[in-house]
Amino acid sequence: MEKAKGYNNAVLKTKNRGQVFKQLVTNNGIYRTELAEECGLTKMAISYIVNEFIEKDIAVESFRNEEKKPGRRSGCLRLSPGAKKVIGLLIHRNYISVTLCDCQLHVLRADTIRFEECDTDFLLKKAFELTDEMMEENEILGIGIGSIGPVSSERGIILNPPEFYGIKNVPIVQLFEERYGLPVYLDYHYNCAARAEKYFGMGKKYKNFILLGITDGIGIAIVVDGKIFTRMTGTSSELGHITVDYSGRQCFCGRRGCLGAYMDFSSKETTWQSVEILCAALAGVCDLLIPQAVIVRDEQSYLENEHLEWMEKELNQKIIARDYQRIAVCKSCRSKELEATGCAANVLGRVFSGEIEI
Ligand SMILES: [Zn+2]
């Protein structure tokens, strides 16, 4: 009984610390009273955690002039530059990149290797080489890996991404854990991007949103009630294979008329056509999920503001819930490193939830 009580207290302590840490890093300066309010903890509990954070060089406290008066001991708290760092590894079809970030996802160092041919050994060798470099002289909290799908985040395996040089069933989490002895997490790269949006980007405003990814294909991440939606097997959602014409073009997945087969952003004319088809498919998705926003991650800048404005107007006219629900369509405000830093955000999410300790 005593043992169970001790265990529960330890879990609660890690959870509370995770909550406080989340507020510390997702706000640009926060006071103890605000922390108490945001985390639903007593001022005494906050004081205890904050003092520990300052002692361990996780947080620093600064005082404005009026706060320096005698008896006033509470200043503004920020993430300490000395706090542990996180690493994000992004695996794409023709490149891998590794990013060293602080816990606010500021990029401290990044490196990319591009390739036109690849196999499992080459992929791992290069991923290890890049990660080794980031390890030097840094205390690392964990490694987050984002990959083209499908992946099983639950089992830590890159499954069988199409057109990926035949690479499949790579137990990447286990291999990284064995090499570095750190917590390692794997997710679909757009889920990673959505996580970065949720903590630090446009997604901060919304509990329910869709991240629409446009690169060489069309991808999606779904955030429901503030959580990234994954299926029971830990695999991610697909958007590119929604049927837009059941007797239409042949898709590599074996079906006909998949959305992805109609996405062509090579000229102004085909871009508009693609936007129209995309919008028709998205209306169905929005009817299912009723998100507050569609955040567009458009790495190559295929879409211009007029496309997004048109999409927003069109979606809000099309959805069945149009009389009582409005959906915002906006561009991701995060930098070009969104996905890479999002991979690192995978580790942060585990700290925030209390799964791992800062
Ligand atoms: Zn398909």
Side-chain angles (χ1 to χ4, degrees):
M1 194 66 194
E2 272 305 303
K3 214 174 172 183
K5 201 174 156 192
Y7 169 77
N8 286 336
N9 280 343
V11 170
L12 192 64
K13 190 184 158 203
T14 315
K15 274 194 163 202
N16 289 345
R17 288 168 98 258
Q19 275 292 307
V20 175
F21 185 67
K22 182 181 178 184
Q23 294 304 325
L24 181 77
V25 297
T26 56
N27 288 286
N28 262 332
I30 191 161
Y31 288 86
R32 282 174 163 83
T33 45
E34 292 168 329
L35 278 175
E37 208 171 288
E38 291 294 334
C39 301
L41 295 171
T42 62
K43 280 181 191 163
M44 200 195 271
I46 290 294
S47 226
Y48 182 80
I49 296 170
V50 164
N51 289 343
E52 189 195 328
F53 278 5
I54 292 172
E55 206 173 293
K56 291 187 174 168
D57 199 19
I58 296 167
V60 285
E61 193 169 24
S62 59
F63 297 88
R64 286 199 301 250
N65 278 341
E66 66 268 25
E67 289 162 352
K68 285 182 182 159
K69 286 175 192 162
R72 177 113 202 197
R73 288 177 46 227
S74 174
C76 187
L77 296 151
R78 286 189 172 79
L79 179 71
S80 165
K84 288 185 186 176
K85 309 295 184 279
V86 278
I87 287 177
L89 162 65
L90 177 64
I91 300 174
H92 251 283
R93 259 182 200 85
N94 50 7
Y95 69 86
I96 52 172
S97 67
V98 178
T99 310
L100 176 74
C101 307
D102 68 12
C103 288
Q104 288 181 312
L105 299 189
H106 297 120
V107 177
L108 305 173
R109 218 176 137 185
D111 207 349
T112 299
I113 289 180
R114 296 184 182 278
F115 44 80
E116 281 168 10
E117 274 300 317
C118 191
D119 58 24
T120 307
D121 288 345
F122 180 84
L123 183 80
L124 290 171
K125 186 171 171 270
K126 293 298 167 190
F128 286 150
E129 269 174 29
L130 291 182
T131 308
D132 287 352
E133 282 173 29
M134 303 295 167
M135 288 287 170
E136 290 163 10
E137 296 168 30
N138 287 297
E139 224 187 318
I140 305 296
L141 202 49
I143 302 170
I145 304 173
S147 171
I148 48 171
V151 303
S152 168
S153 47
E154 213 169 62
R155 293 189 292 142
I157 296 175
I158 298 172
L159 296 168
N160 55 342
E163 295 172 49
F164 195 42
Y165 318 100
I167 296 171
K168 58 183 176 183
N169 299 326
V170 186
I172 197 151
V173 166
Q174 190 198 332
L175 296 169
F176 265 71
E177 277 176 348
E178 282 169 6
R179 186 175 176 97
Y180 298 108
L182 288 168
V184 181
Y185 305 100
L186 170 70
D187 209 340
Y188 176 48
H189 67 108
Y190 281 129
N191 283 354
C192 296
R195 211 169 265 116
E197 284 292 349
K198 181 165 87 88
Y199 297 139
F200 299 100
M202 295 299 284
K204 272 181 100 170
K205 281 199 285 185
Y206 305 109
K207 275 191 101 170
N208 298 287
F209 69 88
I210 288 170
L211 183 116
L212 173 70
I214 301 173
T215 43
D216 48 349
I218 290 277
I220 192 171
I222 299 165
V223 176
V224 179
D225 286 337
K227 292 195 177 73
I228 309 275
F229 175 78
T230 49
R231 282 172 278 181
M232 282 178 71
T233 50
T235 51
S236 49
S237 303
E238 286 282 355
L239 179 69
H241 301 282
I242 280 186
T243 306
V244 291
D245 180 357
Y246 73 91
S247 59
R249 292 177 193 169
Q250 183 68 47
C251 176
F252 67 84
C253 74
R255 299 205 299 251
R256 284 193 169 275
C258 291
L259 173 66
Y262 294 87
M263 293 296 98
D264 177 4
F265 299 105
S266 58
S267 73
K268 206 168 167 68
E269 193 188 331
T270 57
T271 298
W272 266 116
Q273 205 173 41
S274 296
V275 168
E276 283 172 22
I277 297 169
L278 176 61
C279 204
L282 263 186
V285 174
C286 289
D287 278 341
L288 265 179
L289 299 170
I290 322 199
Q292 296 161 290
V294 175
I295 300 175
V296 182
R297 167 68 177 161
D298 172 19
E299 227 177 319
Q300 316 289 331
S301 298
Y302 292 125
L303 304 186
E304 290 168 20
N305 283 342
E306 59 174 334
H307 294 123
L308 298 186
E309 281 163 20
W310 182 86
M311 268 171 78
E312 185 175 83
K313 202 170 128 223
E314 190 72 4
L315 265 186
N316 283 293
Q317 280 170 3
K318 275 200 165 99
I319 56 164
I320 304 299
R322 56 189 169 261
D323 291 340
Y324 45 90
Q325 174 72 34
R326 198 162 165 81
I327 300 171
V329 176
C330 52
K331 256 195 179 180
S332 159
C333 67
R334 300 278 304 165
S335 67
K336 62 180 173 52
E337 290 99 355
L338 174 73
E339 277 129 307
T341 56
C343 300
N346 213 340
V347 180
L348 291 183
R350 310 292 172 139
V351 181
F352 297 163
S353 68
E355 197 178 309
I356 53 175
E357 267 195 60
I358 168 77

